[in-house]
Amino acid sequence: MAEHAIPPRNSRPGGEHVVSAGHPLRRLVRRIPLLAWLVLVWLLLWGTYDLGTTLFGVLVGVLVTGFFPAPPIVTDIRLRPWGIVRLVMRLAWDLVVSTARVSWHAVAQGPRARAAIVEVRLVTDSDHLMAMVANAVSLAPGNFVLQLDRANRICYVYALGCGRDASERVRREVLAWERSVVRAVGTAEQLRLVERTHRGVEVD
Amino acid sequence: MSWVDLFSGICLITGAASCLFGAIGLLTFPDVAARLQAATKPQTLGLILILIGSAVRLEARDASGLILVGLFQALTAPVLAQLVGRAAYRAGSVREETLDVDHLAHRIERERRRGL
């Protein structure tokens, strides 16, 4: 997956760089979310929440981000809190349902289990969305993304225990995941695109 | 027995059962890709449930580290499945007779013909 997620260098002249060679103060401000995350992990690992640990966490975080600067990431994702909550809840629900389904397959069908590898073309054209959709599809048992064709926006999804209409069902499922992911982190334009396609699928 | 004990017990038993079914699937499924589903994924739910079951019985400050365990399991399991699955497919370990549809094989066949 990793090699597909790397965008070609300088392909988007108008793209924003998260860590740019701009003003030092701006660079510092853009490093804050990463720093906050590092401090949080540090606190969780120690399991003690006091001022001293926090200060040491900040110190270690600054040193780490200073010595090992993260490469510039060109991204166009927009965080939508309500969408993210719904995505996480959907992931959790899917995890439970799919685990029950695959457990049933393991016991009832076992060696006679059937599978399918289905080609699904995503609606949106974004490295990060594609990586997130692939991860969402692969989290629960039963389905995983076997191969990605980034240039043509195609996911090859392995699905365990599908019936005769495997292609159509898997395609709908993956597109539904894409819709959830776009609702959580997509831009307004991508959201419009996905909703339009969703209505088109309903009409078909 | 308090409600916390009951909740914790339900979580622990369901989580353990989920891991057990994963192990059964590992034995019964026909090929690598299907076994991979049983090997990596029910463990995700099983682990998370066991973590929740343990967390409610611990003090909050001791339990908070468990969040990281669950988070990293959820982040790494799909990547692992994808890598092993792709390697298995390329090595020919996905048995064709278990597949109803295989669009990837069509695609590879098409490109091979175009190359000739």
Side-chain angles (χ1 to χ4, degrees):
Chain A
M1 215 180 298
E3 74 249 42
H4 298 285
I6 297 169
R9 273 177 199 284
N10 303 326
S11 64
R12 288 170 221 180
E16 50 179 319
H17 291 262
V18 170
V19 181
S20 68
H23 196 271
L25 199 67
R26 267 177 86 123
R27 211 162 54 197
L28 200 69
V29 167
R30 286 183 170 173
R31 232 197 254 162
I32 283 179
L34 178 62
L35 191 65
W37 167 242
L38 286 175
V39 172
L40 182 66
V41 172
W42 174 267
L43 287 175
L44 286 174
L45 286 174
W46 277 105
T48 47
Y49 306 95
D50 52 25
L51 193 63
T53 319
T54 313
L55 284 180
F56 262 106
V58 171
L59 182 68
V60 172
V62 168
L63 286 177
V64 167
T65 49
F67 278 112
F68 308 101
I73 300 169
V74 182
T75 182
D76 52 357
I77 62 175
R78 301 272 177 283
L79 300 180
R80 301 163 188 274
W82 174 231
I84 291 174
V85 169
R86 292 217 312 201
L87 178 64
V88 169
M89 277 166 56
R90 214 180 139 187
L91 282 169
W93 173 245
D94 185 51
L95 196 59
V96 174
V97 173
S98 302
T99 301
R101 195 167 58 87
V102 171
S103 303
W104 169 247
H105 280 308
V107 177
Q109 299 188 328
R112 288 173 285 109
R114 309 286 300 168
I117 296 174
V118 181
E119 180 182 88
V120 183
R121 185 186 283 264
L122 297 185
V123 179
T124 52
D125 189 19
S126 153
D127 295 323
H128 296 94
L129 285 185
M130 194 164 190
M132 275 185 249
V133 171
N135 257 357
V137 169
S138 305
L139 182 65
N143 298 354
F144 75 92
V145 176
L146 192 65
Q147 183 69 272
L148 285 180
D149 177 356
R150 175 65 191 88
N152 296 314
R153 318 196 304 265
I154 295 174
C155 292
Y156 289 92
V157 181
Y158 175 95
L160 185 67
C162 287
R164 296 271 140 246
D165 56 343
S167 321
E168 190 50 33
R169 233 193 63 196
V170 173
R171 203 175 73 86
R172 270 170 194 268
E173 266 179 47
V174 173
L175 289 180
W177 277 118
E178 187 186 21
R179 193 157 162 250
S180 294
V181 169
V182 168
R183 281 180 168 185
V185 296
T187 60
E189 192 190 340
Q190 286 163 341
L191 197 61
R192 266 201 306 279
L193 201 64
V194 166
E195 294 297 337
R196 204 169 59 214
T197 314
H198 178 71
R199 279 198 298 274
V201 169
E202 296 275 281
V203 167
D204 282 346
Chain B
M1 199 171 78
S2 68
W3 287 108
V4 173
D5 286 338
L6 186 69
F7 177 74
S8 162
I10 290 172
C11 282
L12 288 174
I13 290 172
T14 324
S18 170
C19 292
L20 173 69
F21 281 115
I24 293 173
L26 195 60
L27 286 172
T28 57
F29 279 140
D31 63 2
V32 177
R35 282 182 181 171
L36 197 63
Q37 303 307 305
T40 58
K41 316 288 186 64
Q43 260 72 340
T44 310
L45 180 68
L47 180 72
I48 290 173
L49 283 175
I50 288 174
L51 289 176
I52 293 174
S54 327
V56 293
R57 309 202 49 164
L58 293 171
E59 284 187 35
R61 55 185 298 167
D62 296 323
S64 56
L66 299 180
I67 296 171
L68 284 182
V69 179
L71 182 68
F72 283 119
Q73 168 76 14
L75 285 180
T76 53
V79 180
L80 179 76
Q82 199 263 342
L83 285 177
V84 178
R86 196 167 74 169
Y89 188 86
R90 292 205 174 167
S93 303
V94 176
R95 282 166 55 182
E96 282 169 32
E97 67 265 26
T98 66
L99 295 177
D100 288 325
V101 192
D102 189 353
H103 289 160
L104 188 53
H106 297 318
R107 164 90 184 258
I108 292 170
E109 185 60 32
R110 256 200 327 271
E111 297 199 341
R112 191 170 292 153
R113 258 192 237 136
R114 202 177 300 157
L116 283 174

